[in-house]
């Protein structure tokens, strides 16, 4: 079956612009996570969605970052007024059961802020 | 709070040699532990996981890891390296209960090179 998909695969933007990154989780997976992978910081947790519960935003680095998950499926991560330090690979993962099961990762979106 | 330390950002072995990638964790409660592999320009793929059953865990591609509570370690091994094992390996921890959302805390990663 289809895995986690993310789009776009690459995004180049200018400093100060807004960007939207999309994640399509595996069908039926109730939990969805966003992580950021950067050279200086490694892999960092950003935000978590579980069903219809309020998301856990504790990992978001600033209020320029936000995310939503519509209909319990597709998720969009939005970065407003991008900065050069936002350049990273943004990874999305989904899992059927929180913590117990493997998280399935998408291929990521490589964001470059010029 | 949980944390993971991977000793050695780069490890180089010869083809056919033993692979040993080190991971130590810190957790105030019994954790779940994972090893993920990332090939160039790809996402993360699960190699194996420890979820409080057998302490010696076997994964894909001939890898295995042993959970040692007394040493707070979860080192990854493979008896004989293959060229296709060249990749970056990440150790991760999560807390599976107590209202945790199960997000993974990753180590910094270890890049494995395999020499012919």
């Amino acid at each position: 079956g289809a895995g986690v998909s993310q789009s776009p695969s690459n995004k180049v933007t200018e400093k100060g612009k807004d960007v939207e990154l999309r994640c399509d989780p595996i069908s039926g997976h109730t939990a969805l996570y966003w992580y950021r992978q950067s050279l200086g910081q490694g892999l960092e947790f950003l935000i978590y969605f579980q069903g219809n519960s309020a998301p856990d935003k504790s990992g978001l680095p600033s209020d320029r970052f936000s995310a939503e998950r519509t209909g319990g499926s597709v998720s969009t991560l939005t970065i407003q007024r991008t900065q050069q330090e936002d350049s990273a690979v943004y990874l999305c993962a989904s899992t059927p059961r929180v913590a117990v099961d493997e998280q399935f990762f998408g291929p990521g979106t490589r964001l470059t802020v010029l | 709070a949980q944390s993971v330390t991977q000793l050695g950002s780069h490890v180089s072995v010869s083809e056919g040699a033993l692979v040993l990638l080190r991971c130590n964790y810190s957790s105030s409660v019994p954790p779940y532990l994972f090893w993920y592999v990332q090939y160039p320009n790809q996402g993360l793929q699960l190699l194996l996981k420890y979820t409080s059953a057998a302490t010696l865990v076997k994964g894909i591609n001939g890898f295995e890891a042993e959970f040692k509570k007394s040493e707070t370690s979860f080192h990854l091994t493979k008896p004989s390296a293959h060229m296709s094992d060249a990749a970056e390996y990440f150790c991760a921890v999560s807390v599976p209960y107590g209202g945790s959302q199960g997000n993974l805390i990753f180590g910094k990663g270890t890049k494995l090179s395999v020499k012919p």
Side-chain angles (χ1 to χ4, degrees):
Chain A
V4 177
S5 61
Q6 293 186 246
S7 60
S9 55
N10 280 283
K11 177 71 176 179
V12 180
T13 190
E14 294 178 349
K15 179 181 172 181
K17 302 276 189 178
D18 297 351
V19 295
E20 286 188 351
L21 312 180
R22 177 187 168 105
C23 171
D24 276 278
I26 293 173
S27 178
H29 282 193
T30 59
L32 185 149
Y33 302 82
W34 284 96
Y35 296 89
R36 179 170 70 173
Q37 186 174 24
S38 56
L39 281 175
Q41 302 298 322
L43 274 155
E44 306 170 276
F45 163 74
L46 295 178
I47 188 169
Y48 154 78
F49 295 90
Q50 169 62 28
N52 296 320
S53 302
D56 179 344
K57 306 178 183 179
S58 60
L60 295 179
S62 79
D63 58 9
R64 295 185 295 104
F65 287 71
S66 63
E68 62 178 19
R69 188 179 184 191
T70 54
S73 182
V74 172
S75 178
T76 302
L77 177 69
T78 301
I79 309 174
Q80 295 178 307
R81 305 180 303 281
T82 52
Q83 304 294 313
Q84 287 184 332
E85 61 263 28
D86 300 334
S87 296
V89 176
Y90 290 82
L91 294 167
C92 175
S94 70
T95 186
R97 295 180 300 169
V98 172
V100 177
D101 291 325
E102 168 188 358
Q103 291 186 23
F104 294 83
F105 283 81
T109 293
R110 181 175 297 276
L111 175 66
T112 303
V113 182
L114 301 176
Chain B
Q2 295 76 41
S3 66
V4 175
T5 302
Q6 290 184 241
L7 294 176
S9 57
H10 288 86
V11 170
S12 182
V13 301
S14 297
E15 191 172 20
L18 171 72
V19 175
L20 170 60
L21 304 182
R22 298 178 187 275
C23 172
N24 287 87
Y25 69 92
S26 172
S27 178
S28 56
V29 296
Y32 283 3
L33 294 160
F34 304 80
W35 275 100
Y36 280 85
V37 60
Q38 187 176 36
Y39 298 101
N41 299 315
Q42 294 187 28
L44 294 161
Q45 179 184 2
L46 182 71
L47 275 179
L48 49 80
K49 64 179 180 181
Y50 166 76
T51 56
S52 74
T55 56
L56 181 61
V57 181
K58 294 187 184 298
I60 62 171
N61 301 337
F63 285 93
E64 62 181 38
E66 186 171 9
F67 172 71
K68 292 187 176 180
K69 184 178 178 181
S70 61
E71 299 177 7
T72 61
S73 69
F74 190 57
H75 302 329
L76 182 71
T77 60
K78 182 174 180 178
S80 176
H82 192 272
M83 297 296 291
S84 61
D85 295 326
E88 191 158 18
Y89 293 79
F90 293 91
C91 183
V93 63
S94 76
V95 172
Y97 36 73
S100 166
Q101 70 271 33
N103 60 288
L104 296 169
I105 308 298
F106 287 93
K108 296 291 188 186
T110 298
K111 193 162 291 187
L112 176 67
S113 301
V114 181
K115 299 175 291 187

